[in-house]
């Protein structure tokens, strides 16, 4: 039913399926768009189109939230006209002199028509926070009905029929409905008078009342029901009724009671005001309550439409600002923003930004904190109960807590736990929070490469948001939580700045009492927050950041410690997580040992925990099957009887559940030829054993190195060759003076895909080459580490504890270490020290002597057997 003379909307319209407010012709509403179809409509139609026509879209109200239903098109809002209304529709069509009369008649006699409002998108604002969405400001033009759906993807496109005539909106003050129109004229007159009466009861100085007055005088009467219904405080349900009133008469009939309801309500309030003269001030408040424009972004909910007394949400925000107990500087900023907010129309995009900002400001725990309940003895017990071993770490943590108890305003230091994965760094951090009775929040820093992740974005950016520190504070709701900065060694760097630099201010006790997040733009006091950092290695932590932290090394566990941890913590935890009891599953100690040595190769216990989990799952199936059989009394039938409890996991059951052993003790098997030696390496994942293999072929004295070696390691290989060349005769390695004469050497470091570097393989390369040239075997139970010099000295290296533990895990019995690393042996657990035979070598002479089977002739030609205090 388009109008022949009036302005025509396009007969194909993209449809915005709204689950928020109802757009009525003549009103402007803000819609938040985040569902896939609506997002496509904005990006493909509104943002790409250049003509005015492309800004016209259809808004279908009352659609189920389309974000939840990606594949199927949600049912569109339908209006079922009664027979009388259908008849009226006929009148309307004649009123509009429509050439498409038949179509409307058809629509009127079919049970339902899909109805919506065509509107012009006057503004599109995009934001990425809290998730990608657009905010559209749409001004309603006229009603339309959907005649057919043309496509559903990427957005809904429909053929539509215009239901309202548009030209009257363009000719103000022509009171086109007059007394001659009979009932319609009378209705329009009554409506106008009611509106004037309402206005008379309101304070004209309030902008929205003045606007109402202006509109009432300037708009054509036919448009008044729509405009007034969208301005006064009506529920979405009521607005829908007005929208569904296709005939003008019905529209007046639907809107008039809404107007009268407001008048009655206002009369009632005026009565109460007379009783209580103190309320004089509330006149303007009352006006706002009654004449509130649509609140953008409000959820569409037909049931929950009772007017809440606290309709003025800036007033409630103001109350919250005053109750937030924020420092003066922050309060000043909030007051200023509130003032701006009050002056802003809600349709302005900045309104939402300012509101979000103020919401965050009032939610931040400016002066909310928990009370520390620190009892050092209890703290020590709790740490001991939660974690086995790691004595050094626990001792330092208790010291730290003790100092905190004595001096509550302790500034720093920030503890940083460094160690391989799965050794309990995060879990100790959690325990510290528990012992202090504080809130715990983990901030994962791995891969963070934008400094605004830490410090937030400035509010001028679209989609700006606060950084992780402020977000964390908002989440925990107190200003003295324990923040665990996980994986500080994995911070990245990018064009967006260096997050490590931003962390400097956070972690510096001298500065962090006035930490300024870019989004907040006011200082927040972080001095009460207890920061604990974790890392796998200190090598990649920027020096300035490392300098602010006290590094506590958390080394890997020995086999025995792992067995204890498994029986004290991991097995009980896993049993509980799988709904099992110790009466149902028993894992003996030697099975745990077998899991550790044959199915895991790690410094921590994470993989061990997973394997125990796998056993629990397998047993849970058996237990559940048994219960079912018991329950049905079918045990006697042809099925297996329920297993005897507890189910004990022996070596056979272990193989059944976990499969073939993943790791064998391969050391002795691989050291069966001359030219193979076993080195020890340190990686951020803990210590590891590393084979070095050498072979020689006829050639011109070339050295080939393979296995992804770094520059330092390559240099070590060249050093080793040079030393051997210089000393070949002295050590009687070869008959000729130069061992490389007519020979090519190939040195290979297996696990070829893994990059290796560092100087500590020097002694291993020399041993390997000496074995190759002399044709003598390296002892199958020896592993070694140490840097070499050209003169054959052995220099100290790092990571001794992790390296020795790796050797112990691999079943090695003798470890050759640089003499100057002797002090590091104190850190080793007693049982490891007792199991291993340590040779502390000052020069290569001693290394070769201790590593080659049967000793090696020294420069004097004698065998120095004094070193061989072997226990083998
Ligand atoms: N000494 C221990 N006593 C009891 N449980 C432990 C111990 N060490 C580790 N665990 C357990 O091992 C699991 C892994 O520990 P956690 O996640 O704390 O390791 P992590 O060192 O932080 O590792 P990552 O560096 O990968 O973050 C946890 O379930 C933890 O309870």
């Amino acid at each position: 039913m388009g109008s022949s003379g009036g302005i025509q909307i396009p007969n194909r319209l993209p449809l915005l399926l709204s689950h928020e407010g109802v757009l009525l012709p003549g009103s402007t509403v803000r819609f938040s768009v985040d569902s896939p179809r609506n997002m496509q409509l904005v990006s493909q139609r509104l943002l790409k189109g250049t003509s005015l026509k492309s800004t016209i879209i259809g808004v279908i109200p009352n659609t189920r939230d389309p974000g939840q239903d990606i594949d199927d098109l949600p049912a569109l809002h339908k209006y079922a006209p009664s027979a009388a209304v259908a008849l009226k529709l006929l009148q309307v069509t004649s009123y509009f002199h429509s050439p498409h009369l038949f179509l409307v008649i058809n629509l009127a006699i079919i049970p339902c028509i899909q109805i919506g409002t065509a509107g012009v998108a006057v503004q599109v604002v995009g934001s990425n926070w809290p998730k990608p969405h657009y905010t559209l400001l749409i001004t309603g033009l006229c009603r339309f009905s959907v005649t057919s759906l043309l496509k559903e993807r990427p957005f809904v496109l429909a053929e539509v029929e215009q239901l309202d005539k548009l030209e009257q909106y363009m000719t103000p003050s022509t009171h086109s409905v007059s007394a001659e129109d009979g009932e319609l004229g009378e209705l329009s007159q009554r409506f106008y008078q009611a509106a004037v009466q309402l206005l008379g009861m309101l304070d004209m100085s309030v902008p929205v009342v003045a606007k109402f007055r202006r509109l009432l005088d300037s708009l054509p009467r036919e448009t008044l029901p729509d405009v007034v219904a969208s301005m006064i405080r009506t529920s979405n349900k009521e607005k829908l009724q007005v929208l569904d009133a296709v005939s003008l008469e019905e529209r007046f009939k639907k809107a008039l009671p809404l107007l009268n309801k407001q008048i009655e309500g206002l009369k009632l309030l005026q009565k109460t005001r007379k009783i209580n003269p103190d309320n004089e001030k509330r006149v303007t408040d009352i006006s706002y309550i009654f004449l509130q424009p649509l609140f953008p972004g409000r959820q569409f909910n037909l049931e929950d439409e009772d007017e809440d007394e606290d309709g003025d949400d800036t007033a409630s925000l103001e109350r919250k600002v005053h109750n937030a107990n924020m420092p003066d500087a922050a309060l000043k900023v909030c007051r200023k923003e509130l003032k701006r907010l009050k002056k802003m129309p809600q349709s302005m995009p900045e309104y939402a930004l300012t509101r979000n900002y103020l919401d965050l400001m009032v939610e931040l725990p400016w002066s909310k904190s928990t009370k520390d309940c620190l009892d050092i003895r209890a703290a020590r017990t709790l740490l001991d109960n939660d974690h086995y071993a790691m004595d050094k770490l626990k001792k330092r943590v208790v010291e730290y807590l003790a100092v905190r108890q004595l001096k509550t305003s302790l500034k720093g230091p920030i503890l940083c736990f460094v160690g391989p994965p799965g050794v309990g760094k995060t879990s100790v951090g959690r325990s510290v929070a528990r012992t202090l009775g504080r809130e715990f929040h983990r901030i994962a820093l791995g891969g963070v490469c934008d400094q605004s992740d830490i410090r937030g974005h400035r509010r001028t950016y679209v989609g700006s948001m606060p950084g992780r520190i402020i977000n964390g504070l908002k989440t925990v709701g107190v200003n003295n939580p324990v923040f665990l900065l996980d994986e500080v060694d994995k911070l990245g760097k990018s064009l967006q700045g260096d997050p490590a630099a931003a962390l400097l201010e956070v972690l510096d006790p001298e500065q962090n009492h006035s930490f300024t997040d870019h989004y907040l733009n006011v200082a927040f006091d972080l001095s009460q927050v207890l920061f604990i950092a974790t890392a796998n290695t200190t090598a990649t932590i920027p020096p300035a950041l490392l300098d602010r932290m006290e590094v506590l090394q958390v080394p890997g566990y020995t086999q025995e410690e792992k067995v204890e941890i498994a029986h004290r913590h991991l097995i009980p935890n896993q049993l509980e997580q799988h709904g099992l009891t110790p009466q149902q599953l028993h894992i003996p100690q030697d099975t745990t040992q077998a899991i550790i040595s044959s199915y895991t190769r790690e410094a921590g216990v994470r993989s061990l925990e997973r394997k125990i989990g796998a056993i629990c799952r397998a047993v849970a199936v058996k237990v559940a099957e048994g219960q079912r059989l018991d329950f049905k009394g079918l045990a006697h039938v042809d099925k297996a009887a329920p297993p005897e409890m507890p189910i004990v996991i022996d070596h056979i059951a272990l193989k059944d559940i976990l499969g073939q052993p993943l790791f064998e003790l391969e050391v002795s098997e691989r050291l069966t030829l001359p030219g193979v030696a076993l080195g020890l390496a340190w990686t951020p994942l803990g210590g590891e054993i590393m084979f070095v293999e050498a072979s020689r072929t006829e050639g011109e004295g070339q050295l080939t190195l393979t296995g992804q070696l770094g520059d330092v390691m390559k240099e070590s290989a060249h050093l080793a060759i040079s030393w051997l060349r210089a000393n070949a005769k002295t050590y009687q390695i070869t008959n000729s003076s130069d061992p490389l004469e007519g020979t090519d050497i190939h040195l290979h470091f297996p696990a070829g895909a893994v990059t290796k570097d560092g100087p500590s393989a020097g002694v291993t390369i020399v041993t390997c080459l000496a074995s190759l040239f002399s044709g003598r075997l390296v002892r199958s139970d020896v592993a070694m580490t140490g840097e070499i010099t050209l003169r054959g000295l052995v220099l100290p290296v790092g990571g001794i504890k992790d390296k020795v533990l790796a050797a112990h895990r691999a079943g090695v019995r003798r470890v050759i270490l640089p003499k100057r690393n002797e002090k590091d042996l104190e850190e080793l657990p007693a049982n490891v020290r007792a199991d291993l035979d340590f040779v502390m070598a000052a020069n290569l002479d001693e290394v070769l002597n201790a590593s080659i089977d049967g000793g090696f002739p020294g420069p004097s030609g004698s065998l120095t057997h004094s070193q061989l205090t072997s226990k083998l």
Side-chain angles (χ1 to χ4, degrees):
M1 180 178 61
S3 67
S4 55
I7 296 167
Q8 283 276 356
I9 58 165
N11 49 13
R12 285 176 171 206
L13 280 186
L15 301 186
L16 182 86
L17 309 179
S18 153
H19 59 284
E20 295 179 345
V22 180
L23 177 72
L24 289 172
S27 68
T28 300
V29 177
R30 196 130 59 89
F31 291 93
S32 180
V33 165
D34 55 8
S35 65
R37 277 196 184 88
N38 289 347
M39 294 279 280
Q40 292 286 354
L41 186 153
V42 178
S43 58
Q44 297 199 9
R45 175 80 176 218
L46 294 182
L47 296 181
K48 282 200 182 143
T50 47
S51 62
L52 177 66
K53 197 174 145 189
S54 65
T55 63
I56 299 178
I57 59 173
V59 180
I60 301 277
N62 195 15
T63 322
R64 177 163 47 91
D65 185 356
Q68 296 162 8
D69 201 344
I70 293 164
D71 289 333
D72 301 330
L73 186 67
L76 304 185
H77 169 64
K78 282 199 178 98
Y79 156 60
S82 61
V85 172
L87 252 176
K88 287 280 180 215
L89 271 173
L90 282 173
Q91 291 173 9
V92 178
T93 48
S94 51
Y95 173 78
F96 283 144
H97 312 294
S98 165
H100 304 288
L101 183 69
F102 297 115
L103 185 68
V104 177
I105 295 170
N106 282 341
L107 283 173
I109 51 175
I110 55 167
C112 292
I113 60 171
Q114 289 159 344
I115 205 164
T117 311
V120 186
V122 287
Q123 191 177 55
V124 181
V125 181
S127 168
N128 274 328
W129 191 70
K131 57 179 179 173
H133 73 279
Y134 293 104
T135 307
L136 303 183
L137 196 63
I138 304 179
T139 302
L141 296 173
C142 61
R143 285 172 183 71
F144 68 84
S145 66
V146 177
T147 49
S148 65
L149 284 179
L150 298 175
K151 62 173 186 175
E152 293 184 10
R153 307 199 147 268
F155 53 84
V156 189
L157 186 72
E159 197 146 300
V160 299
E161 200 62 47
Q162 186 170 341
L163 296 179
D164 296 332
K165 200 175 181 184
L166 256 177
E167 70 181 348
Q168 287 146 358
Y169 291 83
M170 316 302 293
T171 50
S173 295
T174 43
H175 293 200
S176 40
V177 181
S178 61
E180 288 96 70
D181 292 319
E183 196 190 349
L184 181 63
E186 194 190 317
L187 264 172
S188 114
Q189 187 60 22
R190 268 170 48 205
F191 189 86
Y192 180 77
Q193 278 167 357
V196 171
Q197 188 188 355
L198 179 70
L199 269 175
M201 300 165 85
L202 297 171
D203 181 354
M204 270 311 200
S205 65
V206 178
V208 72
V209 180
K211 185 180 165 198
F212 188 28
R213 171 89 246 179
R214 272 198 312 277
L215 289 176
L216 205 59
D217 290 339
S218 59
L219 286 177
R221 292 267 168 94
E222 307 85 83
T223 62
L224 286 186
D226 284 336
V227 174
V228 171
S230 63
M231 282 193 84
I232 59 173
R233 193 172 169 82
T234 44
S235 66
N236 281 327
K237 203 175 180 176
E238 288 161 340
K239 282 197 196 88
L240 263 188
Q241 285 171 359
V242 177
L243 179 74
D244 290 346
V246 179
S247 88
L248 197 54
E249 201 176 322
E250 196 192 347
R251 210 177 300 160
F252 272 118
K253 279 185 184 162
K254 289 274 187 247
L256 190 57
L258 304 180
L259 207 48
N260 286 334
K261 197 169 102 184
Q262 305 299 329
I263 293 169
E264 292 309 315
L266 206 51
K267 273 185 190 162
L268 212 72
L269 268 158
Q270 277 179 339
K271 260 191 216 161
T272 17
R273 244 177 58 206
K274 267 181 206 141
I275 296 165
N276 184 2
D278 293 350
N279 279 355
E280 200 67 72
K281 206 171 110 269
R282 290 190 62 198
V283 175
T284 38
D285 291 351
I286 292 166
S287 331
Y288 270 118
I289 291 167
F290 281 88
L291 284 173
Q292 182 163 331
L294 273 173
F295 178 59
R298 200 174 203 167
Q299 283 293 308
F300 194 101
N301 185 355
L302 289 181
E303 272 68 51
D304 181 27
E305 287 295 337
D306 295 337
E307 265 91 323
D308 66 328
E309 285 299 314
D310 195 9
D312 186 353
D313 67 342
T314 47
S316 82
L317 198 57
E318 197 165 357
R319 259 200 316 277
K320 285 186 196 160
V321 166
H322 289 285
N323 294 339
N325 235 339
M326 49 180 87
D328 288 345
L331 190 62
K332 211 165 137 193
V333 174
C334 279
R335 282 204 182 122
K336 207 168 124 205
E337 292 294 323
L338 255 175
K339 227 176 184 174
R340 285 183 57 220
L341 190 77
K342 279 185 192 161
K343 285 187 201 148
M344 253 182 240
Q346 292 190 1
S347 49
M348 235 171 117
E350 225 191 307
Y351 182 91
L353 298 182
T354 313
R355 239 212 99 101
N356 284 345
Y357 175 75
L358 284 168
D359 280 341
L360 175 68
M361 289 291 270
V362 297
E363 274 181 57
L364 281 181
W366 298 95
S367 50
K368 249 190 259 167
S369 55
T370 48
K371 209 170 167 333
D372 281 1
C373 51
L374 186 56
D375 170 357
I376 289 298
R377 231 175 269 170
R380 188 179 291 146
T381 321
L382 202 136
L383 278 175
D384 280 341
N385 287 349
D386 281 1
H387 299 94
Y388 180 76
M390 30 170 55
D391 295 329
K392 212 167 143 192
L393 178 76
K394 286 192 289 195
K395 188 166 155 252
R396 180 64 189 93
V397 168
V398 170
E399 279 170 17
Y400 179 80
L401 296 177
V403 178
R404 264 202 105 81
Q405 191 181 17
L406 299 180
K407 191 167 186 301
T408 39
S409 62
L410 176 70
K411 284 191 173 164
I414 279 117
L415 301 179
C416 177
F417 304 152
V418 178
V423 290
K425 302 181 295 292
T426 314
S427 109
V428 170
R430 199 168 271 127
S431 291
V432 170
R434 255 194 330 137
T435 54
L436 285 169
R438 291 192 179 198
E439 293 291 331
F440 177 82
H441 184 73
R442 178 173 162 267
I443 301 181
L445 294 176
V448 168
C449 58
D450 183 349
Q451 69 145 327
S452 45
D453 255 315
I454 308 291
R455 251 173 198 286
H457 306 95
R458 293 199 186 281
R459 271 170 60 213
T460 40
Y461 289 108
V462 173
S464 58
M465 54 180 172
R468 292 183 187 219
I469 305 285
I470 292 296
N471 250 335
L473 285 165
K474 186 182 140 197
T475 311
V476 293
V478 287
N479 64 8
N480 64 342
V482 173
F483 269 173
L484 187 89
L485 304 173
D486 223 357
E487 323 277 9
V488 267
D489 56 329
K490 295 184 190 63
L491 280 171
K493 233 186 212 179
S494 71
L495 287 179
Q496 278 75 37
D498 181 1
L503 264 188
L504 289 183
E505 187 191 343
V506 175
L507 295 184
D508 191 342
E510 298 301 325
Q511 296 178 33
N512 69 7
H513 58 270
S514 59
F515 168 73
T516 309
D517 184 282
H518 285 156
Y519 183 82
L520 284 196
N521 212 14
V522 282
F524 193 97
D525 183 1
L526 295 181
S527 60
Q528 296 307 310
V529 180
L530 175 59
F531 289 102
I532 295 177
T534 77
N536 290 138
T537 168
T538 50
T540 48
I541 304 179
L545 196 58
L546 194 60
D547 192 43
R548 281 166 172 73
M549 305 191 282
E550 179 181 332
V551 173
L552 294 180
Q553 291 288 349
V554 193
Y557 296 115
T558 62
Q559 174 112 353
E560 288 69 24
E561 283 171 341
K562 285 186 188 177
V563 173
E564 278 301 319
I565 293 172
H567 284 271
R568 287 180 193 216
H569 300 281
L570 307 182
I571 296 177
N573 281 353
Q574 289 297 319
L575 285 180
E576 196 190 319
Q577 277 181 28
H578 290 84
L580 293 169
T581 62
Q583 286 74 42
Q584 290 168 321
L585 168 64
H586 175 62
I587 304 179
Q589 293 241 352
D590 58 340
T591 307
T592 320
Q593 248 155 20
I595 303 173
I596 295 167
S597 57
S598 306
Y599 293 91
T600 67
R601 184 152 288 177
E602 55 173 357
V605 291
R606 196 167 276 139
S607 181
L608 174 62
E609 193 173 16
R610 269 201 300 273
K611 299 288 173 204
I612 295 172
I615 294 174
C616 289
R617 282 195 297 279
V619 171
V621 175
K622 289 272 170 244
V623 172
E625 270 178 359
Q627 277 176 358
R628 200 177 63 87
L629 287 174
D630 266 354
F631 178 68
K632 294 197 172 174
L634 292 173
H636 60 280
V637 190
D638 204 9
K639 295 206 173 174
E644 240 174 59
M645 297 293 164
I647 298 176
V648 179
I649 306 296
D650 55 12
H651 287 264
I652 300 165
L654 190 65
K655 232 180 194 174
D656 276 352
I657 298 170
L658 298 182
Q660 289 299 325
L662 299 176
F663 305 103
E664 304 275 1
L665 285 181
E666 55 184 349
V667 176
S668 51
E669 285 164 30
R670 288 180 70 166
L671 292 174
T672 50
L673 285 174
V676 188
L678 186 63
L680 293 172
W682 182 89
T683 72
L685 309 184
E688 270 181 32
I689 56 166
M690 176 181 69
F691 288 93
V692 181
E693 296 174 353
S695 71
R696 64 176 177 174
T697 48
E698 264 180 42
E700 290 155 15
Q702 274 189 359
L703 172 67
T704 312
L705 296 169
T706 50
Q708 293 237 37
L709 309 186
D711 286 343
V712 181
M713 208 147 170
K714 281 181 189 158
E715 284 171 7
S716 288
H718 285 289
L719 264 178
I721 296 267
S722 299
W723 184 84
L724 274 173
R725 272 176 135 169
N727 295 281
K729 226 171 175 178
T730 330
Y731 286 88
Q732 300 159 25
I733 291 173
T734 51
N735 300 330
S736 62
S737 57
D738 185 0
L740 255 67
E741 204 180 279
T743 316
D744 280 350
I745 307 277
H746 187 156
L747 262 178
H748 178 62
F749 296 74
V754 184
T755 314
K756 306 165 197 81
D757 204 2
S760 67
V763 290
T764 324
I765 302 172
V766 169
T767 310
C768 172
L769 291 174
S771 152
L772 179 74
F773 288 127
S774 64
R776 298 177 58 188
L777 283 177
V778 177
R779 284 174 55 142
S780 62
D781 58 353
V782 173
M784 62 202 83
T785 182
E787 182 177 352
I788 53 167
T789 71
L790 254 190
R791 285 169 47 231
L793 298 180
V794 177
L795 300 183
V797 290
I800 292 293
K801 184 169 181 189
D802 284 318
K803 286 175 176 175
V804 173
L805 290 181
H808 188 245
R809 274 201 297 276
V812 167
R813 308 305 296 271
R814 174 181 287 180
V815 178
I816 305 174
L817 300 173
K819 192 159 182 60
R820 279 161 59 189
N821 277 116
E822 204 156 5
K823 58 181 185 322
D824 296 311
L825 295 186
E826 283 166 25
E827 284 183 24
L828 293 171
N831 66 318
V832 174
R833 257 187 294 173
D835 281 356
L836 293 174
D837 171 25
F838 293 99
V839 176
M840 308 311 294
N843 53 47
L844 284 172
D845 191 22
E846 290 167 11
V847 172
L848 291 177
N849 220 348
S851 59
I852 302 279
D853 232 354
F856 213 73
S860 54
S862 65
L863 292 179
T864 42
H865 279 294
S866 59
Q867 293 282 352
L868 296 174
T869 49
S870 171
K871 291 182 185 168
L872 298 174

